[in-house]
Amino acid sequence: MGPLFPTICVVLLALHATVSPASLSPEDYAADEAERTANSDNIIFDDYRGKVCVDDSGFVYKLGERFFPGHSNCPCECTEDGPVCDQPECPKIHPKCTKVEHNGCCPECKEIKNFCEYRGKTYKILEEFKPSPCEWCRCEPNNEVHCVVSDCAVPECVNPVYEPEQCCPICKNGPNCFAGTTIIPAGIEVKVDDCTICRCHNGDWWKPAQCLRRECLNGQTLS
């Protein structure tokens, strides 16, 4: 019995050495981990290219199916090369459109400008207004403002004045003209000095007055 004991011990030691973790190299662990990761990727992240199409919300469509990839996109057909979408010729948006919606394949105008803008203010269609005493304006149906400027007549005086809220100047003291540097009223003869009598031209208020000078002696007019 004595010789068998050492032999049994040698066999047990050999088996223990075969299954010991120390006998596995780090390269063996890395290879196993890479294989498990690769298998996991194939299960979770499958390759759908050429098989199906996916919209913006993550819904999957089969080849040949039509779908809308997004909320404001045109309809598309799922093909092996990916979505092939309609590209219609959308109507042009009116230049006076003030509200455009993009909720469909083509943008839509929801509100058209129905007013005029002039010098920072807005006016209704066909509304008339005076931006200044000399201007009369109207908001036309084409949203444009048309204005007319008053044509003032030539004043009948040489010293016209402008009153507030009035377009054309007025002669507050009536028609007059210049006699030299003196303003004299029209329609009468005016003695501008001891020897000179002047009168305004009829209707030509901007012309100098017609004056008649007589010979004088010591301030007395000689007849």
Side-chain angles (χ1 to χ4, degrees):
M1 296 299 292
L4 294 176
F5 180 74
T7 303
I8 295 172
C9 291
V10 172
V11 173
L12 291 176
L13 289 173
L15 291 173
H16 180 72
T18 303
V19 298
S20 173
S23 64
L24 298 177
S25 64
E27 289 78 4
D28 294 333
Y29 285 111
D32 293 342
E33 184 65 25
E35 184 177 358
R36 286 195 297 270
T37 303
N39 292 335
S40 176
D41 289 344
N42 288 337
I43 294 174
I44 298 176
F45 302 103
D46 198 1
D47 187 0
Y48 291 115
R49 289 175 295 181
K51 302 175 183 178
V52 295
C53 299
V54 182
D55 65 10
D56 294 347
S57 302
F59 289 97
V60 178
Y61 298 89
K62 298 178 182 179
L63 296 179
E65 280 191 298
R66 289 181 65 81
F67 67 100
F68 288 87
H71 178 64
S72 60
N73 298 101
C74 295
C76 303
E77 182 177 348
C78 182
T79 70
E80 292 183 354
D81 298 324
V84 177
C85 303
D86 294 345
Q87 295 181 343
E89 185 175 349
C90 296
K92 293 182 179 180
I93 299 296
H94 197 283
K96 295 188 174 82
C97 184
T98 57
K99 184 179 180 182
V100 181
E101 286 189 358
H102 299 273
N103 294 330
C105 183
C106 292
E108 293 184 61
C109 179
K110 295 298 182 181
E111 185 176 326
I112 295 180
K113 180 180 177 182
N114 59 353
F115 58 89
C116 298
E117 294 182 66
Y118 188 75
R119 296 181 182 176
K121 296 183 179 180
T122 58
Y123 301 92
K124 298 178 181 178
I125 299 297
L126 300 181
E127 181 179 356
E128 298 178 357
F129 58 96
K130 292 185 66 176
S132 70
C134 290
E135 287 181 288
W136 173 85
C137 301
R138 185 174 71 171
C139 176
E140 301 293 345
N142 61 356
N143 304 108
E144 295 181 358
V145 174
H146 178 71
C147 295
V148 175
V149 179
S150 299
D151 187 13
C152 296
V154 178
E156 296 182 346
C157 59
V158 294
N159 57 349
V161 295
Y162 287 86
E163 294 288 350
E165 302 303 322
Q166 289 189 3
C167 175
C168 299
I170 60 174
C171 298
K172 296 189 71 172
N173 299 317
N176 55 39
C177 67
F178 277 114
T181 57
T182 304
I183 297 176
I184 63 174
I188 59 173
E189 291 185 346
V190 179
K191 188 176 181 181
V192 295
D193 58 39
D194 291 337
C195 301
T196 307
I197 297 176
C198 298
R199 185 184 182 94
C200 292
H201 287 272
N202 291 330
D204 298 332
W205 317 115
W206 60 92
K207 293 182 179 180
Q210 293 176 319
C211 295
L212 178 62
R213 185 174 178 81
R214 298 178 181 180
E215 293 184 3
C216 299
L217 180 62
N218 297 327
Q220 299 293 324
T221 301
L222 299 178
S223 55

